[in-house]
Amino acid sequence: MTTNGASSPAGLTLVEVRSRIQLGQTNAMPSDTGRSFWRIMQANLFTLFNLIVGGSFALLLVLGYWQDALFGFFVIANVVIGVAQEFRAKLTLSRLAVLNAPRARVLRRDESGAESLHEVRVADVVLDDVLVLAAGDQVTADAVVLEANGLEVDESLLTGESDALDAAPGRELLSGSSIVGGSGLARVIRVGADSYAARITAEAKQFSLVRSELRSGIARIIKWITIALLPVGAIVVNGQMQAVGGWEAAIATGAWREATVASAASLIAMIPQGLVFMTSVALAVGAVKLARREVLVQELAAVEGLARVDMLCLDKTGTLTEGRLVLDSVEPVSDIAGWDAALGHFAADRDANATAKALGERFAAVASLELHAAVPFSSARKWSAAEFRDPRAAGSWVLGAPDIVLAGAAPAAAQPVLARTSELAASGLRTLVLAHSPEALPETEPAAAHLPPRLVPAAVLTFREKVRPDAHETLEYFREQGVSIRVISGDDPRTVAAVAREAGVEHVGDGFDARRLPDASTPEGESELDAIMGREHVFGRVTPEQKKAMVLSLQRLGYTVAMTGDGVNDALALKHADMGIAMGSGAAATRAVARLVLLDGQFSRLPRIVAEGRQVIANVERLAKLFLSKTTYAILFAVVFGLLLWPFPFLPRQLSIVDGLTIGLPALVLALLPNIQKYRPGFLQRAARFCIPSGLIVGGTLISVVAYAYLGGYAAPVVQTAAVITLTLTALWVLVILSRPFTWITTLVVIAAYAGLGVVLSIPIVTDFLQLGAPPIELIAVAVGASVIGSAVLEITHRLLHHK
C-alpha cells in the first residue's frame, strides 16, 4: 500500500493495525525531559559544600550542641529551593504538548473488508492510517491529502504563516496544524517521534535553566569558598586542638569537643549561608508582584533575566499586533452605485472571514437588501460573491484578490487598478478589490463556482493588522534603555515591515525575506547569517528552525536575547533564547517552554518586568556585598587564629546573633527595597572590589581587640563578649554604607540593628544562652574605640574606592 497522493483511500485492516502496533509504528509521543528527579536531588544535595556544612551541622547535633547548629536551617532551605526550582521546570516541560486533539477519526476495515469510521486516541493512530478530517479538527500525525472537498488548513501556529492554505490532494499536512474549512481524507506518513509535532516537542522538552548572572555568580562564589574550606579548615582544626593542649591532650581530656565547636564556628562563619536563601526570597517576591500584574514567572531566575536583555526579538502577530485585521482605506475607482451597501453585506455575512468582518467597522448591512445568490469565500478561489436584485445595489458583486478578480476584466479598466493594488501591496498592506457585473452569478455548486462576466472594478480596499496601542510606547522604552529590536515573523516581509514601521521600530527597510537566509549548519553559513542578523532588523517568511538559528546567531554576536511569541513555530526560538516570553493566549507548547507568560497578552507588561528584574539584581548585589564582606573577615579570622594557635573567640551561637544583627535581619529589608538602578554587567567583580577591603578592615579591627584581650589574660567568656561588641559595631558600618542613600526604611533598619546589640547585652537570659561574660570597662572601651576607628577606616576606604 502506497502513501502518496495517488493511493487508494481505503483504510487499514485490523490485522494491519495490529502489525504496525507490534512494530512500534504508533503515534505515541516521546516524554523524556532530561534529568530525572533522582539526578536533580543528587546535583543539589551531594556537593562538597553540603558535605562540609552538613557534616558540621550533624556533628554539632551528635555532640549535643544543638544551640550552635542553627545554621543548618539555611543548608536545608538552599537544597529544598534548588530542587524545587529544577523539579518545577521539569514538570512544566513534561506537560508540553503540540498536539491537543482529544481523539482522532480514522477509516479501518474489519475481516470481511467492510470499512467503517473509528474514533481512537491520538497515540493509537498508526502509520498508513487514513485520517478523516473536517473543519475544527487538528491534524494528529503528518499526512498526505488523498481526497479534498474545499479542504483548508491553518498552519500559523507551526509556521507563522497567517493565511489559511488550500489543501489539495497530494499536499502534505503537518501534525499540529488545524483544519479551518471543508473536509477530506489524508494518509498518515509519519507518526510518533518522526512527526513534525514530535520533533518540535522533543527539542523543546530538553531540560535547561535560565541563564542567570546572579545564580552563576553566586555559584562561583560558593565554589571558591568550598575550595578554600579544605586548606583553611585544616589550619583551623589543628589550631583549635593545639589551643586546648594539643591533639593527645584534647582527646584524653575530652577538650576536643570544645575545640570541635570552635572549629565549626570558624568554618561556618566563612560561608555566606543566607545569600542563596535571600536571593531566592528576593526573586520569589518579585515573581509574586509580577503575578499580580498578570505575568506568570515559570522560573524564579527569570525575574532578573529580562533586566539583562539587550536584544528583544518580537513576533509580529499577537505581540506587536492584536492578531486581527482592520480596514485601512477604501478608494472608489468608478461611479457604480451601491458598492458601500455591497460591502456592508460582505461584512455581515455569517460565513465572512476575518478580512471581510473588518469591513463592519465602517460599513453597515442594509437590512432590506435582498440577497438572490451568493458564493462563499474560499482560499482556493480567493474571492466571494453576492447577487442582489435591489435597485440600490443591483447586479453581482465580487470581493477578492485583485489579480484573480480582474483577470478577465477589460484591460483599460483593470490595468490602472492592478497597478494601484500592486503599489499598495508593496507597502505591506493586504489589498482586495470589489468588482461589479450587471450579469447574474453562474448557477453552479460553490466548489465549481466561477466569476461572472463583464466585471468592472468598483473600489480598492486595503487592510492592515491592528497594532497594539501600547506597542509604540513600549518599544520607545526599550530603545531608551539601549535594547535593540528584531521583528521576526512567518508572514510576508512587506507586511511585517509595514507593521514594524507603524509600531515605531527603527531601521525597518523593506523587510528581509528569510527564504534568502544562508544555511547555518556550516561555519560559512553561520558567519554569513551573523552578518545579516547584525545588519537587518525586520524579517518575514521565517520558519521555526530559522527562528532558532537567528536567536543563536544573535547570541554569538554577544547579545543577551529575549524572544516573544505565541505559536508553536516560536517554541524552539523561545527555548534557546536567554529569556522566552509567551503570550497567555498562545499555544500550550509555547507557554510550557517560556520563562515568562504574559497572561493577558499585554506587550506593555515588559517594562514592568524589566523594572522588577533591576530591583532584584541591584538588591541582591547589595546583599552579596554584605554577605561576602563577612566571608572575607571570617576567612581572615580562621587563618590568623589557626596559625597563632589561639582559641577561636566565638561560639557558633554567638556568631549567629552577630550575623542576625549585621546581616540577616537587615537583609530581609534590603532585599525588597525599591531600586531603579540600570543593570550593569559584572556584579561579581563589583562585589569583590567592595567586600575584600571591607572584610580585611573589619577582620583587622577584631583581631587587634582579641589580641589585646588574650595578651591581657582575660577569661574566654569575657574575650568572647568583647569580640561580639567589636565585630557587631564594626560590621554594622558596612551596613550603613550599603544602606545609602538613606530612606526612612533603611534608617530604621540601621537604628534597630545598633539598638539590637544593646538589647542582647542587657537581657540576662540572652547573655546566659550566648555564654557571654561581663567585661571590665577598660576592655569595653577598647572594643568600642577600635570599632570607631575601624568604622572610620571603612568610610574613608569606601569613599576613595567609590570616587575612583
Side-chain angles (χ1 to χ4, degrees):
M1 186 172 291
T2 59
T3 58
N4 55 34
S7 63
S8 167
L12 297 176
T13 65
L14 297 181
V15 173
E16 290 172 325
V17 171
R18 285 194 293 269
S19 172
R20 283 160 173 75
I21 292 175
Q22 291 174 353
L23 293 172
Q25 296 173 337
T26 67
N27 204 35
M29 294 294 172
S31 59
D32 179 45
T33 58
R35 297 207 294 183
S36 65
F37 178 71
W38 173 241
R39 287 179 61 193
I40 292 173
M41 282 290 295
Q42 283 181 309
N44 286 275
L45 185 59
F46 300 120
T47 65
L48 182 59
F49 176 83
N50 285 344
L51 176 64
I52 295 172
V53 181
S56 300
F57 173 66
L59 183 60
L60 290 176
L61 290 180
V62 169
L63 294 176
Y65 294 95
W66 61 268
Q67 305 95 326
D68 294 310
L70 301 178
F71 62 86
F73 165 76
F74 292 105
V75 179
I76 297 170
N78 291 338
V79 171
V80 170
I81 289 170
V83 171
Q85 287 189 55
E86 293 197 33
F87 192 63
R88 180 184 175 187
K90 177 181 173 66
L91 286 178
T92 301
L93 289 178
S94 69
R95 294 192 292 267
L96 187 155
V98 172
L99 296 177
N100 54 29
R103 308 281 286 180
R105 297 191 305 277
V106 296
L107 291 179
R108 288 178 179 171
R109 292 176 290 157
D110 58 22
E111 286 77 2
S112 66
E115 193 170 64
S116 59
L117 183 67
H118 293 251
E119 275 203 5
V120 299
R121 296 185 310 147
V122 171
D124 293 335
V125 173
V126 300
L127 188 67
D128 292 326
D129 252 333
V130 175
L131 299 175
V132 179
L133 302 172
D137 289 344
Q138 186 179 44
V139 181
T140 54
D142 293 357
V144 168
V145 178
L146 301 176
E147 293 181 0
N149 181 23
L151 191 65
E152 296 180 1
V153 61
D154 179 2
E155 296 182 344
S156 59
L157 284 180
L158 298 174
T159 65
E161 174 61 63
S162 59
D163 292 330
L165 305 171
D166 179 43
R171 178 184 175 83
E172 185 173 319
L173 302 178
L174 299 176
S175 52
S177 54
S178 301
I179 304 302
V180 294
S183 60
L185 302 176
R187 175 86 62 192
V188 173
I189 58 172
R190 286 184 295 272
V191 293
D194 295 327
S195 69
Y196 183 80
R199 291 200 302 273
I200 289 181
T201 302
E203 183 171 349
K205 276 190 173 183
Q206 292 308 302
F207 179 83
S208 65
L209 291 172
V210 173
R211 295 184 183 94
S212 166
E213 184 181 9
L214 294 182
R215 185 162 54 197
S216 61
I218 292 172
R220 287 170 62 191
I221 293 169
I222 298 300
K223 179 182 177 181
W224 295 337
I225 293 173
T226 302
I227 294 172
L229 279 174
L230 295 175
V232 174
I235 295 172
V236 168
V237 172
N238 179 67
Q240 297 311 304
M241 290 298 182
Q242 298 298 333
V244 294
W247 286 84
E248 290 185 8
I251 295 173
T253 63
W256 64 271
R257 297 168 65 92
E258 288 73 22
T260 300
V261 174
S263 299
S266 180
L267 290 175
I268 296 306
M270 295 168 53
I271 300 168
Q273 308 152 16
L275 181 56
V276 176
F277 177 74
M278 289 307 305
T279 300
S280 297
V281 168
L283 291 170
V285 171
V288 170
K289 290 164 68 176
L290 289 174
R292 293 173 181 163
R293 296 176 178 269
E294 299 295 316
V295 178
L296 173 63
V297 179
Q298 303 267 47
E299 188 180 336
L300 287 182
V303 176
E304 58 122 336
L306 196 57
R308 296 186 290 105
V309 165
D310 55 7
M311 173 62 71
L312 181 60
C313 296
L314 303 173
D315 181 41
K316 173 180 66 68
T317 306
T319 302
L320 288 180
T321 69
E322 295 181 354
R324 66 186 182 93
L325 289 173
V326 294
L327 182 63
D328 182 70
S329 67
V330 179
E331 298 181 11
V333 293
S334 68
D335 55 1
I336 301 173
W339 60 269
D340 50 348
L343 289 176
H345 163 78
F346 284 115
D349 187 0
R350 182 181 58 185
D351 298 321
N353 61 10
T355 306
K357 286 179 180 177
L359 294 168
E361 296 180 1
R362 194 176 305 180
F363 298 99
V366 179
S368 60
L369 195 63
E370 182 183 351
L371 177 68
H372 179 71
V375 178
F377 178 81
S378 163
S379 61
R381 287 189 299 271
K382 298 190 181 302
W383 56 268
S384 58
E387 179 189 344
F388 306 104
R389 293 184 179 175
D390 187 297
R392 292 169 295 176
S396 298
W397 298 87
V398 179
L399 179 66
D403 55 333
I404 294 177
V405 172
L406 300 181
Q415 290 304 323
V417 173
L418 289 174
R420 176 59 178 159
T421 57
S422 178
E423 176 187 348
L424 292 168
S427 68
L429 296 170
R430 182 168 297 186
T431 310
L432 297 182
V433 67
L434 176 69
H436 175 265
S437 171
E439 305 288 339
L441 288 176
E443 295 185 2
T444 60
E445 292 295 321
H450 54 271
L451 293 166
R454 299 171 58 192
L455 280 171
V456 176
V460 172
L461 300 90
T462 58
F463 301 81
R464 57 182 173 81
E465 290 192 71
K466 183 170 178 57
V467 174
R468 290 183 181 275
D470 52 19
H472 195 282
E473 181 181 352
T474 304
L475 291 180
E476 180 64 27
Y477 170 82
F478 282 110
R479 189 159 41 247
E480 292 173 355
Q481 302 302 315
V483 178
S484 299
I485 303 292
R486 297 290 185 274
V487 181
I488 301 174
S489 173
D491 276 344
D492 187 298
R494 297 174 301 180
T495 303
V496 182
V499 169
R501 196 175 293 111
E502 184 179 352
V505 177
E506 294 183 331
H507 313 296
V508 171
D510 297 327
F512 190 91
D513 193 328
R515 291 173 293 191
R516 294 161 41 206
L517 287 176
D519 180 4
S521 62
T522 64
E524 295 79 11
E526 276 192 359
S527 178
E528 189 177 346
L529 177 62
D530 292 350
I532 293 172
M533 293 307 299
R535 181 179 69 247
E536 301 290 338
H537 288 70
V538 176
F539 300 84
R541 301 296 186 203
V542 186
T543 66
E545 290 76 14
Q546 285 178 322
K547 287 189 178 184
K548 168 188 165 184
M550 295 163 87
V551 166
L552 296 177
S553 172
L554 291 169
Q555 289 172 335
R556 286 195 300 272
L557 292 173
Y559 290 105
T560 300
V561 182
M563 174 80 191
T564 70
D566 61 353
V568 175
N569 61 303
D570 302 312
L572 294 184
L574 265 65
K575 176 73 177 180
H576 289 84
D578 298 283
M579 182 59 50
I581 305 166
M583 300 297 161
S585 59
T590 310
R591 296 197 304 272
V593 300
R595 311 299 188 181
L596 297 171
V597 180
L598 306 181
L599 295 176
D600 58 0
Q602 293 298 313
F603 179 48
S604 58
R605 301 289 185 192
L606 294 183
R608 178 59 200 170
I609 301 173
V610 172
E612 198 64 49
R614 285 182 175 172
Q615 175 175 317
V616 170
I617 289 179
N619 287 339
V620 170
E621 180 172 328
R622 182 155 48 183
L623 292 179
K625 292 175 179 178
L626 199 59
F627 279 99
L628 297 181
S629 295
K630 176 226 175 180
T631 295
T632 302
Y633 61 67
I635 293 175
L636 182 62
F637 297 164
V639 172
V640 170
F641 292 125
L643 292 177
L644 294 177
L645 307 182
W646 285 355
F648 193 69
F650 296 100
L651 294 175
R653 69 190 78 173
Q654 294 167 352
L655 275 178
S656 295
I657 288 296
V658 174
D659 287 350
L661 292 173
T662 61
I663 300 175
L665 298 178
L668 285 172
V669 178
L670 295 181
L672 308 178
L673 289 179
N675 200 318
I676 58 173
Q677 178 179 323
K678 189 173 181 179
Y679 167 75
R680 293 179 296 137
F683 104 92
L684 196 56
Q685 290 82 355
R686 290 192 297 275
R689 284 198 298 270
F690 177 88
C691 71
I692 291 176
S694 299
L696 293 176
I697 294 169
V698 173
T701 303
L702 177 75
I703 290 170
S704 64
V705 172
V706 172
Y708 176 87
Y710 278 148
L711 295 175
Y714 291 103
V718 173
V719 175
Q720 290 168 356
T721 304
V724 167
I725 294 172
T726 305
L727 182 57
T728 303
L729 292 177
T730 314
L732 277 177
W733 200 259
V734 177
L735 175 64
V736 170
I737 293 172
L738 293 175
S739 297
R740 297 171 184 155
F742 285 112
T743 64
W744 69 269
I745 296 178
T746 55
T747 302
L748 283 179
V749 168
V750 171
I751 293 173
Y754 276 105
L757 177 61
V759 172
V760 166
L761 295 177
S762 61
I763 300 177
I765 191 172
V766 176
T767 55
D768 289 344
F769 173 78
L770 297 176
Q771 296 184 12
L772 295 175
I777 297 298
E778 175 195 353
L779 188 56
I780 293 176
V782 170
V784 173
S787 301
V788 171
I789 295 172
S791 299
V793 175
L794 277 172
E795 182 66 31
I796 294 170
T797 303
H798 171 70
R799 290 180 180 274
L800 290 174
L801 291 176
H802 183 73
H803 176 72
K804 181 179 179 181

